[in-house]
DNA sequence: CTGAAACATGAATCAGTATTCATGATCCAT
DNA sequence: ATGGATCATGAATACTGATTCATGTTTCAG
């Protein structure tokens, strides 16, 4: 019932980490279904059975990776947004941080989207909490008059969707992504809309 | 090499169609990996082997469903946009049509997103062509002065991402989706941006 | 009507791979 | 320094489910 416990030696911790990184690379490249445990352990340069010392199943590493991505994006975006003096600036900084993250950890980026089909629970938890926090920020900014009025939840999800697809198209699909250009143009639209 | 050919009798056409609908329902509900051919044929009330008379593999029905979704959204959105007298109106009508589609065919909607992981080729073809057409429309509207200036491709992908996540959150995740509300608020943002 | 082409059936085959486990090496608290 | 706890190994197991196929049944063009 209770899967493997946390590693108790340095070696154990290092092995677990190596397996996690290998899983990130392999699953991010080939997708969950096409990735075998053997692929992962081969990449981590360990024996097959070692995998099960640290994870109880393929689904579990996957889940762990999604949670890690949650911590990382949350942290990265939060930090990027620190310096902003108003919500619009924060939107711009947050978008840039997110796209930069996609460029730095493309595998993790893909994994989160695949989570929707592998582990709907964590996927939903991930976006629910992110969306909730995002909406709260927008509501506050609206009350302060930093942005115009409008349903914060709809806006939060619209903005998340925007960032996600932009990352997919202009970062993951591009050899040499031009993040600044995407941020500039997308932000202009976020701020002023399409109206002439 | 060349898989099953088109059905040559009425019965054959009906069976193929039944299998396609069953696959849509089953895969849309459980996801590709969790759906067995047996699940699909059971739902279609046919024998297991019958599946292979019409499709050469599980991947093939899946691909067929993605292509069908392509035809349907393209058709639906195009038609909805017909009546619009300018680009902004068209955006609103297109968004509504897309969300309505998600409400009508939730399974197909999910399948397209999963395609990214099952059959990247068709997924990419789907969005590439959709995105290209979308960007072309935006470019024309911009030249006519119906919308302000800005990179049409970035905008097209931003708008697609928006629509997709809004559909996921406010249509698929909601018991009784309030499409009009989402369209109103999202459109206001698309038109005027967040600026106060 | 009729028979060759199409279609239907589901048990049997087959492949891939997740997971287990018995055995041995390594670590580190005392 | 040492031995009980941790960790490493990979061959063997077990299972799932995709795909095939030999045997009937149905269709429909002529």
């Amino acid at each position: 019932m209770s899967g493997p416990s946390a590693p108790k030696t340095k070696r154990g911790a290092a092995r677990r980490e190596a397996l996690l990184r290998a899983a990130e690379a392999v699953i991010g490249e080939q997708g969950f279904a096409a990735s075998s445990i053997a692929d992962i352990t081969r990449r981590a340069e360990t024996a097959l059975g070692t995998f099960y010392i640290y994870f109880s199943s393929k689904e579990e590493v996957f889940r762990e990776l999604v949670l890690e991505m949650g911590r990382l994006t949350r942290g990265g975006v939060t930090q990027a947004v620190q310096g902003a003096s108003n919500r619009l600036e924060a939107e711009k900084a947050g978008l840039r941080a997110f796209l930069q993250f996609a460029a730095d950890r493309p595998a993790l980026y893909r994994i989160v989207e695949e989570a929707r089909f592998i582990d709907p629970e964590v996927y939903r938890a991930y976006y629910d909490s992110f969306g909730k926090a995002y909406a709260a920020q927008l509501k506050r900014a609206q009350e302060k008059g930093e942005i115009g009025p409008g349903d914060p939840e709809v806006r939060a999800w619209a903005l998340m969707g925007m960032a996600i697809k932009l990352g997919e198209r202009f970062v993951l699909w591009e050899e040499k992504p031009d993040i600044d250009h995407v941020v500039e143009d997308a932000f202009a639209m976020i701020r002023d809309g399409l109206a002439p």
Side-chain angles (χ1 to χ4, degrees), chain A:
Chain A
M1 190 197 284
S2 64
S5 50
K8 290 174 181 154
T9 68
K10 280 184 185 174
R11 181 175 56 149
R15 274 277 196 268
R16 197 188 130 96
E17 179 63 16
L19 284 165
L20 216 40
R21 295 286 70 81
E24 174 183 342
V26 171
I27 298 179
E29 256 164 41
Q30 319 182 332
F32 184 81
S35 302
S36 67
I37 304 294
D39 289 335
I40 295 171
T41 53
R42 196 175 308 123
R43 183 121 179 184
E45 296 179 287
T46 60
L48 191 45
T50 303
F51 179 88
Y52 290 92
I53 293 173
Y54 301 103
F55 306 98
S56 63
S57 69
K58 202 168 124 182
E59 278 76 11
E60 197 189 297
V61 231
F62 187 82
R63 193 174 314 127
E64 184 100 34
L65 287 170
V66 176
L67 295 176
E68 185 176 23
M69 163 88 173
R71 289 192 295 277
L72 288 173
T73 47
R74 203 177 300 276
V77 171
T78 300
Q79 186 172 358
V81 161
Q82 290 300 334
S85 56
N86 63 58
R87 191 62 218 170
L88 285 173
E89 263 186 42
E91 287 301 323
K92 193 172 185 176
L95 176 58
R96 175 174 286 114
F98 184 77
L99 294 181
Q100 189 56 54
F101 183 86
D104 294 340
R105 303 289 285 273
L108 222 42
Y109 191 87
R110 281 196 191 88
I111 285 169
V112 173
E113 289 306 306
E114 190 168 10
R116 177 168 167 199
F117 306 101
I118 305 304
D119 191 334
E121 299 288 308
V122 283
Y123 176 78
R124 189 161 170 156
Y126 176 89
Y127 275 111
D128 251 353
S129 83
F130 202 98
K132 209 155 287 182
Y134 202 163
Q137 292 295 331
L138 290 171
K139 185 153 181 285
R140 189 171 320 162
Q142 189 178 316
E143 285 159 1
K144 287 204 280 178
E146 291 182 0
I147 60 176
D151 184 327
E153 211 185 349
V154 169
R155 283 173 161 184
W157 283 79
L159 291 166
M160 289 195 294
M162 216 182 239
I164 291 163
K165 273 284 164 197
L166 288 173
E168 188 182 322
R169 170 63 184 79
F170 296 103
V171 178
L172 297 190
W173 286 11
E174 218 60 63
E175 290 291 333
K176 203 194 140 302
D178 182 352
I179 292 181
D180 284 332
H181 168 245
V182 176
V183 170
E184 287 306 325
D185 269 64
F187 176 67
M189 184 172 118
I190 291 171
R191 187 186 51 205
D192 303 319
L194 295 178

